[in-house]
């Protein structure tokens, strides 16, 4: 799987503190086990499950460090961090299609505030990697206008929260133009950026916009969580004819994983089976996946067998995968970082209840963040989001 | 549209075969006459940070008659839309353009169909100018299948991709960043074409305009921002909404030109000038001083914030169709009767089209779910319950 470097906060994305580094040779933890993820042909290659890691990082994005197992491809693959995976995906798509361009604040000469666009400006020039002024409303609108003519812009919000300023453009123009023009225009934009609760970034920089955007008709939303699916989803999003919002997470940029060398994409509407199980279905996405996996270790030790699905596609939900899982386990726990009110979990609960009510043995449990602005104080911020201990308690309660 | 005019006029003037110079009193087939005529615009241009173009505009009888017919068609179409709205065949919002026709026809005369035009919700006539048919207009207004957006867009969402007309937008000012994006795409693809992003005096106070203008000037985009200043933002007069109603100066470092928007030839001259400027030097702002006779929309009588005298005064002194009519008559290009015949013919065309549009069916219920997503992924939204998931990407 992937390892995170302790202490690298999103607050200082470019600085490297002496205790950690981004260089893969000096990794703090044992070399990560490569992890086969579900591809669109449905093959899951999960090798020995249930072995817990020797080192547990508290309150972080833990891993199932295991003995090296088969990688997801025949070739050895290469190791990289999540932001590098995003950059690789972006670069490959820009090379493949000259219509792909990137626009955002500090994406060009600066290299991107989270280094996702590093090196692209040098390689592709100023017309394809555009540094915009701080004017989200208009440059999002410009990206959409350019997309109407056939260009494929990748619009970056330096933090997802800033895209609230562009909400009108995203909702009315991006989402609706294909419909209101009777199909004349497609808007192949990708709107991406980091969101989610970071390390004491404060309320305004810790927003989760997936709940605000989920009602907009005409857009697709995906959330990446590992370097493998980050690269795959980025490429798929760029190739898609629909507007796609790609949600990244500030704390996941330094995850390391070995990914295949060859060209691959991840299906935008598909969920990822992280860990098959029998007792309970845990649905999660983005950073909460790691909290769930950490809780899963504890649960396995206690004798439970959770099935963990990273839903990845936030709009539309992959009810096929989710439904099959519900039919198998009959219990659902949703763990998300969204707010309780009107979040992704709320919609997912409604969707599952509507469609699979007959298969449920217990009411769906949904663990979400508290309905508060994210506080600055570390202890309070910890309590705002769902912690592994709460997940363990919830599963125990659900499985009674 | 011009083509149908040629057909009809040549059938009427079939007796006159000898080409004559325009100074002789006999009528000639003006449909093919392209001898240049020079006309002075009504008022000189005022400019900001640039040299104003000359007041003398080159035109020719064919163009003048095309202007006349097109504007008469637009005027008739808008008035017919008014009656249809009152008959409850058109619902929702209906923003009429009568009085402002000169901007649409003048702009078309100066550009090609490869240049992009994007405007706000007062888009019926701009759509016609871009080559849209009357049937598409009326069918869309009435929500029928034959409409340009299949009945799913409505009055504020007319689009015509093949002639680069990008709509048709309901949110005030949101089309200007889109327009600058179109200009960016034109620069990216090295098309040597320009984009005209139209907005009103009400939208001129939107922040996103200045954001987009800044970016366009920074990146040297071929964007022309055209403010159709009809002096009222719905019920608010411009002096009550803007501290500085000199919208052509608002660009500050971006050059601007103020144009009499009721004079189609002045509009043509200004747009030609703007296109040359934008291709060389980046964005420019055009302010079209124009007027709308109707209220802001059909639910606004238009007389609570302005006097009827004002409206009739403008109609008498500055009406764009009258101006072209006087020009045609003074240059002896057609008789009064011929012009009246054109208007009658236009009226009949509009009436016939309305009858035809009324026969177009309403969209099928399944149309509710089409075009929500592009078909590339095989995604059709039937709600969250998706039984089929596997889709392959290119």
């Amino acid at each position: 799987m992937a390892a995170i470097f302790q202490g690298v906060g999103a607050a200082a994305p470019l600085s490297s503190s002496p205790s950690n580094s981004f260089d893969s040779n000096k990794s703090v933890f044992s070399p990560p086990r490569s992890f086969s993820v579900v591809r669109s042909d449905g093959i899951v290659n999960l090798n020995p499950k249930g072995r817990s890691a020797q080192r547990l990082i508290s309150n972080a994005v833990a891993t199932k460090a295991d003995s090296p197992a088969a990688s997801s491809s025949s070739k050895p693959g290469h190791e990289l961090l999540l932001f590098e995976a995003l950059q690789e995906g972006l670069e490959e798509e820009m090379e493949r299609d000259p219509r792909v361009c990137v626009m955002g604040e500090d994406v060009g000469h600066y290299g991107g505030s989270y280094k996702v666009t590093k090196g692209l400006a040098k390689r592709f020039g100023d017309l394809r990697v555009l540094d915009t002024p701080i004017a989200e409303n208009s440059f999002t609108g410009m990206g959409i206008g350019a997309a109407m003519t056939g260009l494929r812009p990748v619009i970056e919000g330096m933090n997802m929260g800033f895209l609230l300023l562009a909400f009108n453009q995203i909702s009315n123009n991006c989402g609706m133009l294909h419909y209101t023009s009777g199909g004349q225009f497609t808007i192949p934009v990708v709107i991406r950026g980091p969101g989610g609760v970071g390390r004491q970034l404060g309320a305004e920089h810790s927003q989760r916009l997936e709940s605000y955007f989920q009602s907009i008709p005409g857009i697709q939303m995906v959330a990446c969580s590992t370097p493998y699916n980050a690269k795959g989803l980025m490429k798929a999003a760029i190739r898609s004819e629909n507007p796609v919002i790609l949600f990244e997470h500030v704390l996941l940029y330094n995850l390391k994983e070995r990914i295949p060398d060859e060209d691959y994409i991840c299906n935008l509407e598909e969920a990822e089976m992280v860990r098959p199980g029998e007792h309970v279905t845990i649905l999660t996405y983005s950073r909460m996946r790691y909290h769930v996996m950490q809780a899963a270790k504890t649960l396995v030790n206690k004798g439970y067998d959770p099935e963990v699905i990273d839903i990845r596609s936030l709009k539309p939900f992959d009810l096929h995968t989710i439904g099959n899982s519900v039919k198998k386990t009959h219990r659902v726990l949703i763990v998300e970082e969204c707010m309780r009110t009107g979040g992704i979990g709320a919609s997912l609960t409604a969707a599952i209840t509507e469609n699979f009510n007959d298969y449920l043995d217990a009411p769906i449990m949904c663990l979400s963040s508290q309905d508060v602005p994210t506080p600055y104080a570390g202890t309070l911020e910890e309590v705002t989001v769902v912690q592994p201990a709460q997940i363990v308690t919830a599963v125990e309660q659900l499985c009674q | 549209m011009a083509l149908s005019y040629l057909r009809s006029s040549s059938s009427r003037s079939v007796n006159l075969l000898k080409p004559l110079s325009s100074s002789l009193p006999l009528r000639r087939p003006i449909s093919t006459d392209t001898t240049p005529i020079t006309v002075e615009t009504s008022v000189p241009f005022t400019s900001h940070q640039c040299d104003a173009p000359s007041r003398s505009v080159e035109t020719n009888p064919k163009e003048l008659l095309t202007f006349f017919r097109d504007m008469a068609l637009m005027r008739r179409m808008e008035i017919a839309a008014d009656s249809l709205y009152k008959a409850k065949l058109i619902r929702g919002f209906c923003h009429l353009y009568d009085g402002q026709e000169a901007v649409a026809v003048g702009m078309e005369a100066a550009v090609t169909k490869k240049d992009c035009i994007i405007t706000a919700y007062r888009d019926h006539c701009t759509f016609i100018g871009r080559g849209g048919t009357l049937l598409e207009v009326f069918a869309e207004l009435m929500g029928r299948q034959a409409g340009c957006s299949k009945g799913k867009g409505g009055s504020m969402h007319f689009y015509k991709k093949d002639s680069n007309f990008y709509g048709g937008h309901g949110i005030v000012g949101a089309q200007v960043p889109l327009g600058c994006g179109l200009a960016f795409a034109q620069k990216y693809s090295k098309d040597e074409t320009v984009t005209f992003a139209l907005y009103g005096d009400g939208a001129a106070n939107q922040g996103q305009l200045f954001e987009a203008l800044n970016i366009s000037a920074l990146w040297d985009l071929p964007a022309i921002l055209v403010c159709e200043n009809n002096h009222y933002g719905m019920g608010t007069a411009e002096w009550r909404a803007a501290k500085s109603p000199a919208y052509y100066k608002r660009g500050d470092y971006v050059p601007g030109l103020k144009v009499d928007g009721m004079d189609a030839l002045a509009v043509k001259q200004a747009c030609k000038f703007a296109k040359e400027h934008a291709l060389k030097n980046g964005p420019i702002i055009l302010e079209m001083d124009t007027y709308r006779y109707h209220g802001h929309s059909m639910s606004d009588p238009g007389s609570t914030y302005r006097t009827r005298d004002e409206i009739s005064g403008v109609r008498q002194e500055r009406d764009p169709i009258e101006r072209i009519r006087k020009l045609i008559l003074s240059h002896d290009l057609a008789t009064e009767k011929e012009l009246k015949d054109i208007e009658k013919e236009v009226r009949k065309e509009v009436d016939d089209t309305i009858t035809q549009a009324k026969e177009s069916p309403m969209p099928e219920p399944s149309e509710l779910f089409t075009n929500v997503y592009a078909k590339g992924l095989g995604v059709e939204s039937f709600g969250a319950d998706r039984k089929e998931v596997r889709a392959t990407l290119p």
Side-chain angles (χ1 to χ4, degrees):
Chain A
M1 262 258 267
I4 194 176
F5 294 102
Q6 174 81 16
V8 176
L14 291 185
S15 68
S16 47
S17 48
S19 62
N20 52 55
S21 85
F22 301 125
D23 187 348
S24 55
N25 292 334
K26 300 200 228 119
S27 78
V28 178
F29 306 107
S30 47
R33 173 180 87 92
S34 71
F35 183 77
S36 307
V37 290
V38 181
R39 308 223 351 213
S40 55
D41 48 329
I43 297 175
V44 180
N45 219 349
L46 231 204
N47 280 311
K49 56 183 192 244
R51 290 199 215 149
S52 34
Q54 293 310 305
R55 272 180 276 241
L56 259 191
I57 310 119
S58 63
N59 191 28
V61 204
T63 150
K64 266 205 275 186
D66 241 312
S67 55
S71 84
S72 54
S73 67
S74 49
K75 297 205 203 135
H78 56 286
E79 234 175 39
L80 39 52
L81 305 173
L82 197 145
F83 73 87
E84 289 170 348
L86 287 167
Q87 195 238 20
E88 219 176 72
L90 193 47
E91 195 168 347
E92 284 173 17
E93 287 306 303
M94 287 183 79
E95 209 180 297
R96 178 179 175 270
D97 188 344
R99 296 171 302 171
V100 180
C101 53
V102 184
M103 48 175 79
E105 294 157 16
D106 277 331
V107 295
H109 297 185
Y110 193 76
S113 59
Y114 293 95
K115 297 204 286 190
V116 175
T117 51
K118 187 172 175 197
L120 295 182
K122 269 208 198 70
R123 184 161 169 207
F124 295 107
D126 279 342
L127 199 57
R128 289 189 73 186
V129 184
L130 301 141
D131 280 324
T132 62
I134 306 178
E136 281 79 7
N137 197 356
S138 53
F139 73 70
T140 310
M142 285 178 69
I144 295 166
M148 284 168 93
T149 67
L151 286 195
R152 308 181 84 92
V154 177
I155 303 169
E156 172 176 310
M158 189 183 273
N159 186 296
M160 269 288 172
F162 306 161
L163 289 181
L164 286 174
L165 290 158
F167 205 110
N168 173 51
Q169 297 289 351
I170 297 173
S171 166
N172 292 332
N173 293 331
C174 182
M176 299 191 191
L177 269 173
H178 186 62
Y179 191 83
T180 56
S181 67
Q184 287 179 65
F185 298 114
T186 56
I187 317 285
V189 294
V190 177
I191 299 174
R192 51 159 291 268
V197 176
R199 297 245 185 277
Q200 298 186 250
L201 297 179
E204 289 169 344
H205 292 74
S206 314
Q207 299 194 67
R208 286 127 284 174
L209 291 208
E210 48 267 23
S211 51
Y212 302 172
F213 288 143
Q214 65 176 319
S215 300
I216 300 175
I219 57 157
Q220 285 191 263
M221 306 201 305
V222 286
C224 64
S225 47
T226 65
Y228 180 86
N229 63 33
K231 178 174 174 185
L233 290 173
M234 169 74 93
K235 291 174 75 122
I238 294 176
R239 295 188 199 184
S240 165
E241 286 303 313
N242 297 309
V244 179
I245 306 186
L246 172 58
F247 290 93
E248 302 154 12
H249 197 287
V250 283
L251 291 184
L252 297 185
Y253 277 130
N254 293 315
L255 284 181
K256 190 194 257 196
E257 191 183 2
R258 181 169 292 269
I259 64 170
D261 284 329
E262 66 261 15
D263 206 31
Y264 70 93
I265 49 175
C266 289
N267 195 324
L268 284 177
E269 293 132 14
E270 210 173 338
E272 189 178 316
M273 178 70 71
V274 182
R275 182 193 188 284
E278 296 289 326
H279 290 165
V280 58
T281 300
I282 306 183
L283 302 171
T284 181
Y285 66 93
S286 193
R287 181 178 165 221
M288 288 296 118
R289 166 187 175 141
Y290 296 95
H291 281 205
V292 167
M293 290 313 290
Q294 180 157 17
K297 273 192 267 287
T298 318
L299 286 169
V300 163
N301 285 340
K302 292 193 175 185
Y304 295 96
D305 190 15
E307 176 155 293
V308 180
I309 296 179
D310 181 345
I311 60 175
R312 253 173 33 187
S313 170
L314 304 177
K315 183 182 169 93
F317 293 131
D318 180 4
L319 284 182
H320 184 89
T321 309
I322 295 172
N324 285 339
S325 176
V326 173
K327 289 177 191 171
K328 186 168 65 165
T329 65
H330 309 297
R331 289 181 174 79
V332 180
L333 171 66
I334 302 172
V335 180
E336 55 158 0
E337 208 179 0
C338 251
M339 311 285 209
R340 173 49 135 191
T341 309
I344 297 287
S347 304
L348 194 49
T349 307
I352 298 175
T353 313
E354 257 170 39
N355 294 300
F356 307 114
N357 197 26
D358 294 335
Y359 296 96
L360 290 171
D361 283 346
I364 302 174
M365 272 191 87
C366 183
L367 295 177
S368 339
S369 298
Q370 303 305 315
D371 276 320
V372 295
T374 312
Y376 166 72
T379 46
L380 291 181
E381 188 186 63
E382 235 174 77
V383 183
T384 314
V385 295
V386 179
Q387 298 299 332
Q390 292 168 273
I391 302 173
V392 173
T393 318
V395 169
E396 288 177 333
Q397 206 178 339
L398 203 50
C399 288
Q400 269 167 0
Chain B
M1 205 163 35
L3 212 51
S4 63
Y5 160 75
L6 286 171
R7 242 182 296 132
S8 54
S9 68
S10 57
S11 65
R12 275 182 302 136
S13 46
V14 77
N15 300 322
L16 310 164
L17 296 168
K18 283 187 294 176
L20 301 164
S21 74
S22 54
S23 57
L24 291 182
L26 290 174
R27 292 284 149 259
R28 65 190 240 84
I30 36 194
S31 51
T32 51
D33 184 3
T34 47
T35 46
I37 306 174
T38 313
V39 183
E40 288 257 309
T41 63
S42 55
V43 290
F45 300 103
T46 24
S47 67
H48 166 77
Q49 303 261 17
C50 67
D51 292 322
S54 129
R55 261 179 92 172
S56 313
V57 188
E58 276 238 334
T59 178
N60 57 61
K62 173 176 171 195
E63 186 174 75
L64 287 175
L65 273 136
T66 315
F67 279 6
F68 182 82
R69 186 177 203 278
D70 290 349
M71 288 201 281
L73 185 75
M74 291 174 182
R75 179 69 60 93
R76 197 75 314 264
M77 174 181 80
E78 297 295 71
I79 294 177
D82 180 320
S83 330
L84 284 177
Y85 193 91
K86 292 188 172 129
K88 290 208 189 321
L89 281 162
I90 301 177
R91 315 302 299 272
F93 291 122
C94 190
H95 305 89
L96 299 176
Y97 200 71
D98 53 328
Q100 298 182 214
E101 300 91 351
V103 177
V105 300
M107 192 178 289
E108 284 304 324
V111 300
T112 68
K113 289 290 187 289
K114 287 208 165 36
D115 297 303
C116 302
I117 296 186
I118 188 170
T119 180
Y121 41 78
R122 213 177 288 280
D123 55 352
H124 306 166
C125 300
T126 322
F127 175 74
I128 294 282
R130 282 267 99 179
T133 65
L134 273 183
L135 179 62
E136 284 175 327
V137 170
F138 285 116
E140 185 65 34
L141 287 174
M142 294 197 273
R144 308 298 172 101
Q145 274 181 21
C148 55
S149 301
K150 302 189 196 159
K152 299 202 283 191
S155 161
M156 299 188 285
H157 298 286
F158 285 10
Y159 305 91
K160 197 162 168 58
K161 182 166 190 191
D162 50 15
S163 46
N164 286 315
F165 177 55
Y166 288 87
H169 296 273
I171 303 295
V172 167
Q175 76 276 12
V176 178
L178 289 184
C180 296
L182 298 172
F184 168 69
Q186 287 171 328
K187 178 165 178 159
Y188 192 96
S189 317
K190 301 189 178 29
D191 276 347
E192 296 297 311
T193 50
V194 295
T195 299
F196 287 84
L198 280 69
Y199 58 97
D201 46 299
N205 300 314
Q206 276 266 317
Q208 49 189 324
L209 232 94
F210 298 97
E211 293 178 18
L213 198 58
N214 177 37
I215 300 181
S216 307
L218 208 53
W219 295 348
D220 264 323
L221 302 181
I224 300 163
L225 271 63
V226 180
C227 177
E228 293 180 291
N229 184 5
N230 55 26
H231 306 285
Y232 295 94
M234 199 160 92
T236 308
E238 63 175 342
W239 57 270
R240 286 182 62 221
K243 184 75 176 168
S244 154
Y247 299 109
Y248 69 107
K249 286 197 191 158
R250 287 253 193 115
D252 185 25
Y253 40 82
V254 172
L257 199 63
K258 184 165 169 152
V259 186
D260 179 5
M262 306 295 255
D263 180 354
L265 294 167
V267 172
K268 173 187 163 188
Q269 180 86 324
C271 291
K272 209 155 107 220
F273 172 77
K275 177 169 175 174
E276 278 161 22
H277 183 281
L279 284 173
K280 276 201 315 271
N281 303 334
I284 180 170
I285 299 182
L286 297 178
E287 182 186 335
M288 304 284 177
D289 186 351
T290 179
Y291 200 84
R292 54 168 163 81
Y293 298 141
H294 269 91
H296 164 74
S297 70
M298 287 306 302
S299 50
D300 170 28
S303 49
T304 53
Y305 46 86
R306 48 186 193 174
T307 59
R308 293 197 196 278
D309 287 340
E310 181 189 303
I311 307 173
S312 45
V314 173
R315 206 188 269 274
Q316 260 173 4
E317 283 163 43
R318 297 177 66 202
D319 186 78
I321 303 182
E322 289 312 305
R323 182 192 302 279
I324 297 291
R325 189 200 300 268
K326 283 195 201 111
L327 213 52
I328 292 177
L329 294 176
S330 69
H331 283 260
D332 267 341
L333 303 175
T335 57
E336 277 264 4
K337 182 176 179 314
E338 281 177 338
L339 294 180
K340 281 257 181 327
D341 283 343
I342 294 179
E343 286 180 312
K344 273 207 204 89
E345 186 202 323
V346 153
R347 191 176 185 136
K348 182 168 184 317
E349 189 180 333
V350 167
D351 288 339
D352 287 343
T353 313
I354 291 181
T355 319
Q356 198 186 349
K358 281 183 189 167
E359 282 162 26
S360 173
M362 289 286 194
E364 296 292 319
S366 62
E367 279 289 314
L368 182 62
F369 295 108
T370 58
N371 299 131
V372 180
Y373 293 105
K375 264 257 168 202
L377 280 188
V379 175
E380 282 228 352
S381 67
F382 292 110
D385 181 7
R386 187 177 308 279
K387 303 267 189 313
E388 285 258 336
V389 131
R390 307 304 176 195
T392 46
L393 286 163

